[in-house]
Amino acid sequence: IQGWFPVYDTMRGICGELQLTIYIQHIMDFNPVEDSAVGVKVLSSSVPPENYFVSELFGLVDELLVEDDPEYNWQDSFRSSRSSNDARQLLFLVMDGKLRRQIGRKVTDSGGNALLAYQTHFDLEDNFIVARGIGTCVCLSPIL
């Protein structure tokens, strides 16, 4: 992955750019962490990538997470709006990663290796943040 990425401030919005080049080297196919979903391709597109076809369709997978909203915490009465907003943004990031891992685990348990048409939705309900993830579990195979 390489390119220019926006620098985002939780109060001011986008306030600059940062050029990054990231190289990923996958060393082994075994992950000792049980809730890992290593090897699962998570795609927002409903169409498989070029040079791949859907060899098997397993069906819909979904997951739901509920966490307390840090904006409604008792500490919020004396905490600055920036730190309160940062806490909420961090919670969104953590919930999104946890959601992808849990759905990815369902994909591997079903025998799939990819998740097509993946969507994440966050809802602010009363004093809670609800994260919902949904996608289609498939097995992708390369076109020979």
Side-chain angles (χ1 to χ4, degrees), residues 108-124:
T108 56
D109 290 345
S110 299
N113 66 356
L115 188 63
L116 293 181
Y118 178 71
Q119 296 180 6
T120 304
H121 299 278
F122 289 98
D123 294 322
L124 305 175

Side-chain angles (χ1 to χ4, degrees), residues 62-126:
D62 63 338
E63 190 65 42
L64 177 88
L65 292 175
V66 179
E67 296 284 341
D68 291 331
D69 189 353
E71 291 279 327
Y72 291 95
N73 198 334
W74 64 272
Q75 297 170 341
D76 201 41
S77 59
F78 57 87
R79 187 167 49 183
S80 71
S81 59
R82 173 177 289 283
S83 63
S84 180
N85 198 13
D86 287 346
R88 183 184 262 183
Q89 293 292 323
L90 179 62
L91 182 62
F92 285 150
L93 179 70
V94 169
M95 288 178 77
D96 184 49
K98 192 173 186 181
L99 197 61
R100 284 177 186 248
R101 277 191 303 279
Q102 290 180 357
I103 289 181
R105 190 70 208 157
K106 285 184 177 182
V107 169
T108 56
D109 290 345
S110 299
N113 66 356
L115 188 63
L116 293 181
Y118 178 71
Q119 296 180 6
T120 304
H121 299 278
F122 289 98
D123 294 322
L124 305 175
E125 298 179 2
D126 295 327

Side-chain angles (χ1 to χ4, degrees), residues 10-82:
T10 58
M11 299 298 283
R12 296 184 306 162
I14 296 175
C15 59
E17 292 179 330
L18 181 67
Q19 185 180 19
L20 291 175
T21 302
I22 300 171
Y23 298 98
I24 300 173
Q25 184 177 9
H26 187 75
I27 297 173
M28 60 183 181
D29 289 331
F30 173 74
N31 192 339
V33 180
E34 282 188 25
D35 70 339
S36 170
V38 68
V40 174
K41 296 168 188 66
V42 179
L43 306 167
S44 61
S45 170
S46 60
V47 179
E50 282 187 37
N51 302 326
Y52 283 91
F53 70 96
V54 176
S55 59
E56 200 167 349
L57 178 69
F58 295 102
L60 186 73
V61 289
D62 63 338
E63 190 65 42
L64 177 88
L65 292 175
V66 179
E67 296 284 341
D68 291 331
D69 189 353
E71 291 279 327
Y72 291 95
N73 198 334
W74 64 272
Q75 297 170 341
D76 201 41
S77 59
F78 57 87
R79 187 167 49 183
S80 71
S81 59
R82 173 177 289 283

